[in-house]
């Protein structure tokens, strides 16, 4: 007997659904592409428009600044949450509860309107109008950072708790002070657990910054809105903005992928973050 | 093993140490004194409180009442009038620098190389110049038979190797006293010997050691004195061979029968 050919089972149900999907997607693309209401040639014109590029710069600035501030604040809140004093840990819990429990959009509008109940800041003879200090930029940055700090605190707390308590005990037994133990032993090890979710939060933050357009903070979406307020090319400029958001999140995802690959190598060699941390510690340790 | 002589200075003195975890009293008044260069093994069934007591000696565990002195200083507390005021984390750190400790689970710093594991504490906490600390670390590696493994990371080492590094790390601080908390209990049987050998060397060099262990042969050969604990009290103590070969108390006898 000759060898018989093996034919896999045909999954007719899936084939039918796949055909439906293709049909619907093709129809949608055709509808959008042939729409007389979308002025396609204007999109390339605006992609590298100076105003749009300025907006991108500001969106990236908002993302980086708010992530840096929220990581620092979050680390402080996480440490406070683990403190034995009930007021210190309670403050941290209430902060996290409040900032995670109210919408970010409300927080942004709130900071922008803060002069309504704190019109000026007076410290002795020193006097400042709140409006001069809390500009749209500052209001947006405060809202993004303070809100993100609540999430970051939980991420960092999780990382700190993931480090085996034996590490802290060994550090104590060797005469490390509590802050030395935190900075040199616990935190560098917690980084391994903390870095992947920080990557996710950063990617998410790139898009979240668009919310600050409600206070006209001059980010990418604000700029797109400003332009279409004048020329009414609403859909075209929203497409331009979407293209840029996709580019930014894709690049950020690639960076995250590279970092996580390096973190994952820990079974054969210490990951890059550790090596960097080790180098830092050696440099500092050298002071004697 | 000269530690048995009564005129050697006292390194550790514990007076009526009590410790409760909630309603459970695990230490019910422990008294102990250890002379310079003496090796004392704490024996007893699990749950007898020997590890808890050991951890009170460097204040990793907060006792409920009592007093422990190391080198004449009350550990963990300032004595003011009738009261004992607990020290701050920084003050405790200074006291612990003179007390080395080796853990059951090694607890090497997972993100640091062997060399950093050993040399960081003396650099940071003793202000030792980096060069000196590294040279000393190399010496200690030789002593624990781990020469040339400076660059290794803990996960690349066997349990026995990790424990030997942990001993070297504790010794790098030049402690006056070494505490061993079941140092071989987490090891595969074939790796126990290499760790015990290092501890033998240390004892022969005159280090003051308190060892919680289930290794009866080691206790019998190396210890000057054994202390048998059960249910939070010291049941019997005395010269190692005497207690292990001819236990007087029935609980000690029952325990030793199970160990053989």
């Amino acid at each position: 007997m000759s060898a018989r050919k093996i034919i896999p089972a045909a999954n007719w149900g899936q084939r039918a659904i796949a055909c439906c999907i293709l049909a619907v997607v093709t129809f949608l693309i055709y509808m959008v592409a042939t729409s007389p209401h979308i002025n396609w040639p204007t999109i390339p014109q605006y992609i590298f428009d100076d105003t749009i590029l300025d907006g991108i710069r500001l969106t990236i600035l908002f993302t980086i600044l708010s992530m840096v501030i929220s990581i620092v604040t979050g680390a402080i809140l996480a440490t406070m949450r683990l403190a034995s004093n009930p007021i210190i840990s309670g403050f941290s819990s209430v902060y996290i509860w409040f900032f995670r429990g109210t919408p970010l959009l409300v927080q942004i509008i709130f900071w922008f309107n803060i002069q309504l109940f704190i019109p000026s800041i007076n410290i002795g003879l020193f006097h400042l109008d709140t409006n001069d200090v809390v500009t749209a930029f500052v209001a947006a940055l405060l809202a993004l950072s303070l809100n993100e700090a609540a999430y970051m605190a939980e991420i960092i707390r999780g990382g700190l708790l993931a480090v085996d308590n034996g590490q802290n005990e060994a550090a104590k037994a060797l005469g490390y002070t509590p802050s030395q133990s935190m900075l040199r032993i616990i935190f560098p090890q917690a980084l391994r657990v903390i870095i992947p979710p920080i990557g996710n939060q950063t990617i998410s933050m790139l898009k979240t910054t668009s919310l600050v357009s409600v206070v006209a903070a001059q980010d990418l979406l604000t700029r797109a809105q400003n332009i279409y307020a004048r020329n009414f090319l609403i859909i075209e400029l929203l497409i331009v903005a979407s293209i840029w958001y996709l580019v930014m999140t894709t690049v950020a995802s690639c960076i995250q992928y590279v970092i996580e690959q390096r973190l994952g190598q820990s079974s054969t060699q210490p990951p890059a973050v550790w090596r960097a941390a080790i180098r830092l510690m050696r440099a500092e340790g050298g002071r004697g | 093993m000269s530690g048995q002589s009564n005129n050697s200075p006292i390194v550790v003195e514990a007076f009526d140490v009590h410790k409760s975890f909630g309603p459970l009293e695990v230490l019910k008044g422990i008294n102990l004194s250890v002379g310079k260069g003496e090796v004392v093994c704490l024996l007893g069934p699990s749950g007898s409180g020997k590890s808890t007591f050991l951890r009170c000696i460097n204040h990793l565990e907060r006792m409920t009442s009592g007093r422990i002195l190391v080198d004449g200083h009350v550990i963990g507390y300032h004595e003011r009038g009738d009261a004992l005021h607990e020290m701050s984390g920084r003050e405790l750190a200074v006291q612990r620098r003179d007390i080395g400790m080796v853990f059951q689970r090694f607890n090497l710093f997972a993100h640091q190389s062997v060399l950093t594991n050993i040399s960081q504490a003396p650099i940071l906490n003793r202000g030792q110049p980096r060069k000196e600390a590294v040279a000393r670390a190399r010496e200690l590696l030789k002593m624990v038979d781990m020469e040339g493994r400076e660059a290794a990371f803990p996960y690349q080492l066997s349990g026995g190797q990790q424990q030997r590094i942990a001993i070297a790390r504790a010794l790098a601080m030049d402690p006056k006293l070494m505490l061993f908390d079941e140092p071989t209990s987490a090891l595969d049987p074939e790796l126990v010997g290499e760790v015990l050998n290092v501890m033998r060397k240390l004892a022969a060099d005159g280090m003051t050691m308190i060892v919680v262990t289930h290794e009866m042969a080691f206790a019998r050969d190396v210890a000057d004195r054994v202390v048998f604990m059960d249910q939070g009290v010291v049941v019997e103590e005395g010269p190692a061979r005497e207690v292990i070969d001819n236990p007087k108390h029935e609980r000690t006898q029952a325990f030793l029968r199970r160990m053989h």
Side-chain angles (χ1 to χ4, degrees):
Chain A
M1 277 224 323
S2 63
R4 302 254 172 107
K5 221 166 132 190
I6 291 171
I7 295 158
N11 196 333
W12 290 107
Q14 284 198 13
R15 288 187 188 187
I17 293 168
C19 286
C20 289
I21 292 173
L22 278 179
V24 171
V25 170
T26 314
F27 173 71
L28 284 174
I29 291 175
Y30 176 79
M31 211 175 70
V32 173
T34 60
S35 165
H37 306 295
I38 299 177
N39 189 351
W40 290 104
T42 55
I43 292 176
Q45 284 172 26
Y46 280 107
I47 279 271
F48 295 107
D49 185 276
D50 282 345
T51 317
I52 294 287
L53 292 182
D54 273 349
I56 291 168
R57 258 174 239 129
L58 215 66
T59 287
I60 293 174
L61 185 69
F62 271 132
T63 305
I64 293 174
L65 282 181
S66 58
M67 287 313 287
V68 168
I69 297 172
S70 67
I71 288 170
V72 172
T73 318
I76 295 169
L77 284 168
T79 327
M80 288 169 70
R81 184 89 191 260
L82 298 171
S84 56
N85 185 307
I87 292 178
I88 297 176
S89 67
F91 171 83
S92 174
S93 303
V94 169
Y95 179 99
I96 293 167
W97 167 77
F98 182 83
F99 281 90
R100 287 204 308 185
T102 53
L104 176 55
L105 191 53
V106 173
Q107 292 174 30
I108 293 170
I109 300 171
F110 179 88
W111 282 109
F112 187 65
N113 289 303
I114 193 145
Q115 87 284 355
L116 292 181
F117 77 106
I118 307 176
S120 62
I121 303 161
N122 294 297
I123 305 161
L125 291 174
F126 190 71
H127 173 89
L128 273 176
D129 270 339
T130 310
N131 255 347
D132 297 337
V133 184
V134 187
T135 58
F137 178 85
V138 173
L141 188 62
L142 272 174
L144 291 174
S145 311
L146 296 184
N147 178 267
E148 186 62 26
Y151 290 90
M152 215 45 90
E154 290 293 87
I155 289 172
I156 294 172
R157 188 170 70 104
L160 294 177
L161 291 177
V163 178
D164 180 45
N165 189 41
Q167 298 283 311
N168 188 34
E169 286 197 341
K172 274 185 182 174
L174 283 164
Y176 286 68
T177 62
S179 56
Q180 278 176 335
S181 166
M182 179 58 98
L183 285 175
R184 293 174 184 275
I185 307 300
I186 311 294
F187 203 70
Q189 295 186 61
L191 274 184
R192 253 177 75 72
V193 183
I194 292 170
I195 281 180
I198 285 185
N200 290 340
Q201 293 296 105
T202 310
I203 291 166
S204 164
M205 179 60 82
L206 277 169
K207 296 167 292 169
T208 308
T209 52
S210 62
L211 285 178
V212 305
S213 62
V214 293
V215 295
Q218 304 307 316
D219 68 309
L220 174 56
L221 185 59
T222 311
R223 302 297 176 114
Q225 287 174 329
N226 287 347
I227 298 172
Y228 71 58
R230 276 181 273 111
N231 61 15
F232 300 107
L233 295 167
I234 297 174
I235 298 297
E236 291 79 355
L237 279 149
L238 288 179
I239 291 175
V240 167
S242 301
I243 290 171
W244 277 116
Y245 281 118
L246 277 172
V247 168
M248 287 190 284
T249 51
T250 308
V251 170
S253 301
C254 291
I255 296 172
Q256 187 195 22
Y257 177 78
V258 171
I259 293 174
E260 285 189 10
Q261 284 298 102
R262 296 216 178 161
L263 271 178
Q265 286 171 358
S266 64
S267 55
T268 51
Q269 72 174 127
V273 204
W274 289 12
R275 288 200 298 267
I278 289 160
R279 273 197 295 278
L280 250 178
M281 271 164 233
R282 279 196 186 139
E284 271 184 70
R287 288 181 312 193
Chain B
M1 272 151 257
S2 56
Q4 273 163 312
S5 61
N6 287 330
N7 51 15
S8 69
I10 301 289
V11 176
V12 182
E13 265 183 305
F15 301 101
D16 198 26
V17 174
H18 288 258
K19 166 76 186 173
S20 303
F21 290 108
L24 182 73
E25 194 174 28
V26 290
L27 296 179
K28 300 167 184 163
I30 305 288
N31 292 289
L32 181 76
S33 115
V34 179
K36 192 169 187 322
E38 204 178 6
V39 177
V40 174
C41 281
L42 300 182
L43 311 177
S46 30
S48 58
K50 49 198 194 314
S51 280
T52 306
F53 174 65
L54 192 78
R55 290 160 57 82
C56 285
I57 298 177
N58 65 353
H59 202 68
L60 279 186
E61 213 71 73
R62 191 184 282 130
M63 55 194 170
T64 314
S65 69
R67 240 158 40 118
I68 295 177
L69 278 75
V70 173
D71 224 26
H73 300 288
V74 180
I75 289 299
Y77 302 92
H78 293 295
E79 229 172 348
R80 288 192 206 111
D82 282 346
L84 291 174
H85 299 261
E86 193 176 25
M87 290 181 170
S88 71
R90 288 176 154 275
E91 292 169 313
L92 283 170
V94 173
Q95 278 196 332
R96 288 181 180 129
R97 285 167 196 173
D98 291 331
I99 307 171
M101 188 164 197
V102 174
F103 298 87
Q104 183 178 353
R105 306 250 11 133
F106 332 132
N107 297 346
L108 289 183
F109 300 135
H111 61 304
Q112 296 181 346
S113 68
V114 163
L115 190 69
T116 314
N117 258 288
I118 301 175
S119 62
Q120 190 178 61
I123 295 171
L124 283 178
N125 306 334
R126 285 248 190 260
Q128 217 176 66
R130 148 161 294 279
K131 262 191 182 163
E132 251 175 62
V134 169
R136 173 87 175 117
R138 296 224 154 90
E139 248 171 63
L140 288 165
L141 281 173
K142 201 168 171 183
M143 187 220 150
V144 299
D145 286 324
M146 292 287 290
E147 256 181 305
R149 300 307 301 274
E150 289 90 342
F153 278 79
Y155 64 84
Q156 299 168 321
L157 304 173
S158 74
Q161 292 174 323
Q162 289 193 47
Q163 194 61 298
R164 284 185 280 148
I165 300 296
I167 294 173
R169 175 177 71 172
L171 290 175
M173 290 293 285
D174 280 324
K176 295 180 177 127
L177 164 71
M178 285 284 285
L179 308 174
F180 291 85
D181 188 4
E182 303 201 29
T184 57
S185 299
L187 296 176
D188 292 336
E190 78 270 22
L191 303 177
V192 169
E194 61 192 55
V195 171
L196 292 182
N197 280 341
V198 170
M199 291 169 64
R200 266 175 227 272
K201 255 193 251 180
L202 212 53
D205 286 350
M207 175 59 78
T208 311
M209 295 162 63
I210 303 178
V211 186
V212 172
T213 187
H214 292 290
E215 296 291 331
M216 289 305 143
F218 173 83
R220 192 176 173 280
D221 291 353
V222 181
D224 300 300
R225 204 145 48 91
V226 298
V227 174
F228 178 77
M229 285 175 68
D230 193 17
Q231 294 172 12
V233 294
V234 172
V235 175
E236 187 168 348
E237 74 171 290
R241 284 167 197 241
E242 227 167 85
V243 173
I244 292 174
D245 295 341
N246 295 305
K248 303 225 162 41
H249 201 282
E250 61 178 277
R251 276 196 271 176
T252 320
Q253 290 164 357
F255 174 74
L256 288 168
R257 257 201 310 280
R258 268 180 285 134
M259 296 302 291
H260 286 306

